[in-house]
PDB file of all heavy atoms in Angstrom:
ATOM      1  N   TYR A  33     -30.589  30.062  19.324  1.00 97.00           N
ATOM      2  CA  TYR A  33     -29.933  28.956  18.635  1.00 97.00           C
ATOM      3  C   TYR A  33     -30.548  28.827  17.246  1.00 97.00           C
ATOM      4  O   TYR A  33     -31.761  28.630  17.137  1.00 97.00           O
ATOM      5  CB  TYR A  33     -30.177  27.629  19.361  1.00 97.00           C
ATOM      6  CG  TYR A  33     -29.513  27.461  20.699  1.00 97.00           C
ATOM      7  CD1 TYR A  33     -30.275  27.451  21.868  1.00 97.00           C
ATOM      8  CD2 TYR A  33     -28.141  27.254  20.797  1.00 97.00           C
ATOM      9  CE1 TYR A  33     -29.685  27.249  23.109  1.00 97.00           C
ATOM     10  CE2 TYR A  33     -27.550  27.053  22.027  1.00 97.00           C
ATOM     11  CZ  TYR A  33     -28.324  27.052  23.175  1.00 97.00           C
ATOM     12  OH  TYR A  33     -27.741  26.848  24.390  1.00 97.00           O
ATOM     13  N   PRO A  34     -29.739  28.893  16.206  1.00 94.00           N
ATOM     14  CA  PRO A  34     -30.292  28.591  14.891  1.00 94.00           C
ATOM     15  C   PRO A  34     -30.584  27.098  14.812  1.00 94.00           C
ATOM     16  O   PRO A  34     -29.801  26.287  15.306  1.00 94.00           O
ATOM     17  CB  PRO A  34     -29.164  28.990  13.931  1.00 94.00           C
ATOM     18  CG  PRO A  34     -27.930  29.048  14.750  1.00 94.00           C
ATOM     19  CD  PRO A  34     -28.299  29.160  16.190  1.00 94.00           C
ATOM     20  N   LEU A  35     -31.707  26.758  14.263  1.00 93.00           N
ATOM     21  CA  LEU A  35     -32.084  25.344  14.161  1.00 93.00           C
ATOM     22  C   LEU A  35     -32.751  25.145  12.806  1.00 93.00           C
ATOM     23  O   LEU A  35     -33.934  25.427  12.656  1.00 93.00           O
ATOM     24  CB  LEU A  35     -33.022  24.975  15.316  1.00 93.00           C
ATOM     25  CG  LEU A  35     -33.274  23.488  15.531  1.00 93.00           C
ATOM     26  CD1 LEU A  35     -32.043  22.763  16.027  1.00 93.00           C
ATOM     27  CD2 LEU A  35     -34.420  23.293  16.528  1.00 93.00           C
ATOM     28  N   VAL A  40     -34.368  29.114  17.748  1.00 96.00           N
ATOM     29  CA  VAL A  40     -34.898  28.856  19.085  1.00 96.00           C
ATOM     30  C   VAL A  40     -34.463  30.016  19.987  1.00 96.00           C
ATOM     31  O   VAL A  40     -33.270  30.314  20.087  1.00 96.00           O
ATOM     32  CB  VAL A  40     -34.349  27.528  19.652  1.00 96.00           C
ATOM     33  CG1 VAL A  40     -34.886  27.286  21.058  1.00 96.00           C
ATOM     34  CG2 VAL A  40     -34.671  26.364  18.735  1.00 96.00           C
ATOM     35  N   ALA A  42     -33.769  30.776  23.257  1.00 98.00           N
ATOM     36  CA  ALA A  42     -33.566  30.058  24.524  1.00 98.00           C
ATOM     37  C   ALA A  42     -33.561  31.010  25.721  1.00 98.00           C
ATOM     38  O   ALA A  42     -34.103  30.693  26.775  1.00 98.00           O
ATOM     39  CB  ALA A  42     -32.275  29.254  24.471  1.00 98.00           C
ATOM     40  N   GLY A  60     -36.938  26.007  37.098  1.00 93.00           N
ATOM     41  CA  GLY A  60     -37.763  26.220  35.926  1.00 93.00           C
ATOM     42  C   GLY A  60     -38.012  24.907  35.233  1.00 93.00           C
ATOM     43  O   GLY A  60     -37.238  23.962  35.382  1.00 93.00           O
ATOM     44  N   PRO A  61     -39.109  24.821  34.475  1.00 92.00           N
ATOM     45  CA  PRO A  61     -39.430  23.553  33.811  1.00 92.00           C
ATOM     46  C   PRO A  61     -38.422  23.184  32.735  1.00 92.00           C
ATOM     47  O   PRO A  61     -37.587  24.009  32.347  1.00 92.00           O
ATOM     48  CB  PRO A  61     -40.809  23.817  33.194  1.00 92.00           C
ATOM     49  CG  PRO A  61     -40.992  25.282  33.182  1.00 92.00           C
ATOM     50  CD  PRO A  61     -40.104  25.863  34.232  1.00 92.00           C
ATOM     51  N   SER A  62     -38.495  21.957  32.287  1.00 93.00           N
ATOM     52  CA  SER A  62     -37.611  21.475  31.230  1.00 93.00           C
ATOM     53  C   SER A  62     -37.753  22.359  29.993  1.00 93.00           C
ATOM     54  O   SER A  62     -38.860  22.703  29.588  1.00 93.00           O
ATOM     55  CB  SER A  62     -38.002  20.022  30.903  1.00 93.00           C
ATOM     56  OG  SER A  62     -37.153  19.533  29.912  1.00 93.00           O
ATOM     57  N   GLY A  63     -36.618  22.761  29.449  1.00 95.00           N
ATOM     58  CA  GLY A  63     -36.627  23.594  28.243  1.00 95.00           C
ATOM     59  C   GLY A  63     -36.732  25.084  28.520  1.00 95.00           C
ATOM     60  O   GLY A  63     -36.760  25.890  27.591  1.00 95.00           O
ATOM     61  N   SER A  64     -36.750  25.466  29.807  1.00 96.00           N
ATOM     62  CA  SER A  64     -36.939  26.891  30.132  1.00 96.00           C
ATOM     63  C   SER A  64     -35.665  27.713  29.936  1.00 96.00           C
ATOM     64  O   SER A  64     -35.721  28.939  29.913  1.00 96.00           O
ATOM     65  CB  SER A  64     -37.449  27.037  31.570  1.00 96.00           C
ATOM     66  OG  SER A  64     -36.549  26.440  32.478  1.00 96.00           O
ATOM     67  N   GLY A  65     -34.507  27.045  29.840  1.00 97.00           N
ATOM     68  CA  GLY A  65     -33.268  27.784  29.580  1.00 97.00           C
ATOM     69  C   GLY A  65     -32.224  27.704  30.683  1.00 97.00           C
ATOM     70  O   GLY A  65     -31.215  28.410  30.639  1.00 97.00           O
ATOM     71  N   LYS A  66     -32.392  26.791  31.632  1.00 96.00           N
ATOM     72  CA  LYS A  66     -31.466  26.711  32.776  1.00 96.00           C
ATOM     73  C   LYS A  66     -30.041  26.356  32.340  1.00 96.00           C
ATOM     74  O   LYS A  66     -29.076  27.006  32.744  1.00 96.00           O
ATOM     75  CB  LYS A  66     -31.966  25.674  33.803  1.00 96.00           C
ATOM     76  CG  LYS A  66     -33.341  25.964  34.359  1.00 96.00           C
ATOM     77  CD  LYS A  66     -33.786  24.923  35.365  1.00 96.00           C
ATOM     78  CE  LYS A  66     -33.911  23.523  34.812  1.00 96.00           C
ATOM     79  NZ  LYS A  66     -34.971  23.370  33.777  1.00 96.00           N
ATOM     80  N   THR A  67     -29.929  25.293  31.543  1.00 96.00           N
ATOM     81  CA  THR A  67     -28.595  24.869  31.102  1.00 96.00           C
ATOM     82  C   THR A  67     -27.961  25.947  30.232  1.00 96.00           C
ATOM     83  O   THR A  67     -26.766  26.260  30.382  1.00 96.00           O
ATOM     84  CB  THR A  67     -28.693  23.527  30.340  1.00 96.00           C
ATOM     85  OG1 THR A  67     -29.166  22.530  31.247  1.00 96.00           O
ATOM     86  CG2 THR A  67     -27.343  23.093  29.777  1.00 96.00           C
ATOM     87  N   THR A  68     -28.747  26.538  29.356  1.00 97.00           N
ATOM     88  CA  THR A  68     -28.236  27.610  28.499  1.00 97.00           C
ATOM     89  C   THR A  68     -27.684  28.747  29.358  1.00 97.00           C
ATOM     90  O   THR A  68     -26.585  29.263  29.102  1.00 97.00           O
ATOM     91  CB  THR A  68     -29.375  28.134  27.589  1.00 97.00           C
ATOM     92  OG1 THR A  68     -29.916  27.033  26.865  1.00 97.00           O
ATOM     93  CG2 THR A  68     -28.874  29.183  26.623  1.00 97.00           C
ATOM     94  N   LEU A  69     -28.431  29.120  30.377  1.00 97.00           N
ATOM     95  CA  LEU A  69     -28.017  30.217  31.256  1.00 97.00           C
ATOM     96  C   LEU A  69     -26.724  29.870  31.996  1.00 97.00           C
ATOM     97  O   LEU A  69     -25.783  30.671  32.036  1.00 97.00           O
ATOM     98  CB  LEU A  69     -29.152  30.524  32.247  1.00 97.00           C
ATOM     99  CG  LEU A  69     -28.920  31.631  33.259  1.00 97.00           C
ATOM    100  CD1 LEU A  69     -28.613  32.960  32.565  1.00 97.00           C
ATOM    101  CD2 LEU A  69     -30.148  31.798  34.166  1.00 97.00           C
ATOM    102  N   GLN A 112     -24.855  18.753  33.491  1.00 87.00           N
ATOM    103  CA  GLN A 112     -26.027  17.879  33.595  1.00 87.00           C
ATOM    104  C   GLN A 112     -25.700  16.485  33.043  1.00 87.00           C
ATOM    105  O   GLN A 112     -26.182  15.481  33.539  1.00 87.00           O
ATOM    106  CB  GLN A 112     -27.173  18.512  32.792  1.00 87.00           C
ATOM    107  CG  GLN A 112     -28.529  17.926  33.066  1.00 87.00           C
ATOM    108  CD  GLN A 112     -29.654  18.803  32.497  1.00 87.00           C
ATOM    109  OE1 GLN A 112     -29.415  19.715  31.716  1.00 87.00           O
ATOM    110  NE2 GLN A 112     -30.864  18.516  32.910  1.00 87.00           N
ATOM    111  N   ASP A 189     -25.417  22.077  37.319  1.00 94.00           N
ATOM    112  CA  ASP A 189     -26.637  21.851  36.550  1.00 94.00           C
ATOM    113  C   ASP A 189     -27.305  20.580  37.056  1.00 94.00           C
ATOM    114  O   ASP A 189     -26.850  19.482  36.767  1.00 94.00           O
ATOM    115  CB  ASP A 189     -26.270  21.743  35.062  1.00 94.00           C
ATOM    116  CG  ASP A 189     -27.435  22.067  34.151  1.00 94.00           C
ATOM    117  OD1 ASP A 189     -28.534  22.359  34.666  1.00 94.00           O
ATOM    118  OD2 ASP A 189     -27.236  22.041  32.919  1.00 94.00           O
ATOM    119  N   GLU A 190     -28.338  20.749  37.843  1.00 91.00           N
ATOM    120  CA  GLU A 190     -29.057  19.623  38.460  1.00 91.00           C
ATOM    121  C   GLU A 190     -28.108  18.703  39.220  1.00 91.00           C
ATOM    122  O   GLU A 190     -28.047  17.496  38.928  1.00 91.00           O
ATOM    123  CB  GLU A 190     -29.789  18.809  37.373  1.00 91.00           C
ATOM    124  CG  GLU A 190     -30.654  19.650  36.461  1.00 91.00           C
ATOM    125  CD  GLU A 190     -32.129  19.610  36.822  1.00 91.00           C
ATOM    126  OE1 GLU A 190     -32.490  18.898  37.787  1.00 91.00           O
ATOM    127  OE2 GLU A 190     -32.900  20.320  36.174  1.00 91.00           O
ATOM    128  N   HIS A 223     -34.743  20.917  40.028  1.00 81.00           N
ATOM    129  CA  HIS A 223     -36.181  20.669  40.173  1.00 81.00           C
ATOM    130  C   HIS A 223     -36.463  20.229  41.615  1.00 81.00           C
ATOM    131  O   HIS A 223     -37.602  20.103  42.015  1.00 81.00           O
ATOM    132  CB  HIS A 223     -36.613  19.494  39.279  1.00 81.00           C
ATOM    133  CG  HIS A 223     -36.608  19.786  37.829  1.00 81.00           C
ATOM    134  ND1 HIS A 223     -35.630  19.344  36.981  1.00 81.00           N
ATOM    135  CD2 HIS A 223     -37.461  20.496  37.066  1.00 81.00           C
ATOM    136  CE1 HIS A 223     -35.898  19.762  35.747  1.00 81.00           C
ATOM    137  NE2 HIS A 223     -36.995  20.462  35.785  1.00 81.00           N
TER     138      HIS A 223
HETATM  139  N1  ATP B  29     -27.750  23.538  20.806  1.00 91.25           N
HETATM  140  C1  ATP B  29     -29.048  23.842  20.712  1.00 91.25           C
HETATM  141  N2  ATP B  29     -29.622  24.056  19.498  1.00 91.25           N
HETATM  142  C2  ATP B  29     -30.936  24.377  19.391  1.00 91.25           C
HETATM  143  N3  ATP B  29     -31.752  24.524  20.441  1.00 91.25           N
HETATM  144  C3  ATP B  29     -31.240  24.327  21.670  1.00 91.25           C
HETATM  145  C4  ATP B  29     -29.866  23.975  21.881  1.00 91.25           C
HETATM  146  N4  ATP B  29     -29.640  23.834  23.212  1.00 91.25           N
HETATM  147  C5  ATP B  29     -30.828  24.089  23.800  1.00 91.25           C
HETATM  148  N5  ATP B  29     -31.779  24.396  22.895  1.00 91.25           N
HETATM  149  C6  ATP B  29     -33.188  24.788  23.174  1.00 91.25           C
HETATM  150  O1  ATP B  29     -33.154  25.908  24.043  1.00 91.25           O
HETATM  151  C7  ATP B  29     -34.188  25.825  25.025  1.00 91.25           C
HETATM  152  C8  ATP B  29     -33.567  25.846  26.421  1.00 91.25           C
HETATM  153  O2  ATP B  29     -32.832  24.642  26.621  1.00 91.25           O
HETATM  154  P1  ATP B  29     -32.053  24.306  27.974  1.00 91.25           P
HETATM  155  O3  ATP B  29     -31.257  23.104  27.723  1.00 91.25           O
HETATM  156  O4  ATP B  29     -31.344  25.526  28.414  1.00 91.25           O
HETATM  157  O5  ATP B  29     -33.287  23.990  28.966  1.00 91.25           O
HETATM  158  P2  ATP B  29     -33.250  23.463  30.476  1.00 91.25           P
HETATM  159  O6  ATP B  29     -34.070  24.414  31.289  1.00 91.25           O
HETATM  160  O7  ATP B  29     -31.860  23.219  30.908  1.00 91.25           O
HETATM  161  O8  ATP B  29     -34.047  22.085  30.367  1.00 91.25           O
HETATM  162  P3  ATP B  29     -33.871  20.717  31.244  1.00 91.25           P
HETATM  163  O9  ATP B  29     -34.553  20.966  32.569  1.00 91.25           O
HETATM  164  O10 ATP B  29     -34.610  19.715  30.428  1.00 91.25           O
HETATM  165  O11 ATP B  29     -32.427  20.410  31.365  1.00 91.25           O
HETATM  166  C9  ATP B  29     -34.973  24.552  24.714  1.00 91.25           C
HETATM  167  O12 ATP B  29     -36.084  24.919  23.915  1.00 91.25           O
HETATM  168  C10 ATP B  29     -33.984  23.731  23.912  1.00 91.25           C
HETATM  169  O13 ATP B  29     -34.659  22.881  23.015  1.00 91.25           O
END
Side-chain angles (χ1 to χ4, degrees):
Y33 291 110
L35 192 69
V40 179
S62 181
S64 58
K66 301 180 298 295
T67 296
T68 305
L69 180 58
Q112 194 167 12
D189 203 359
E190 309 260 359
H223 289 103

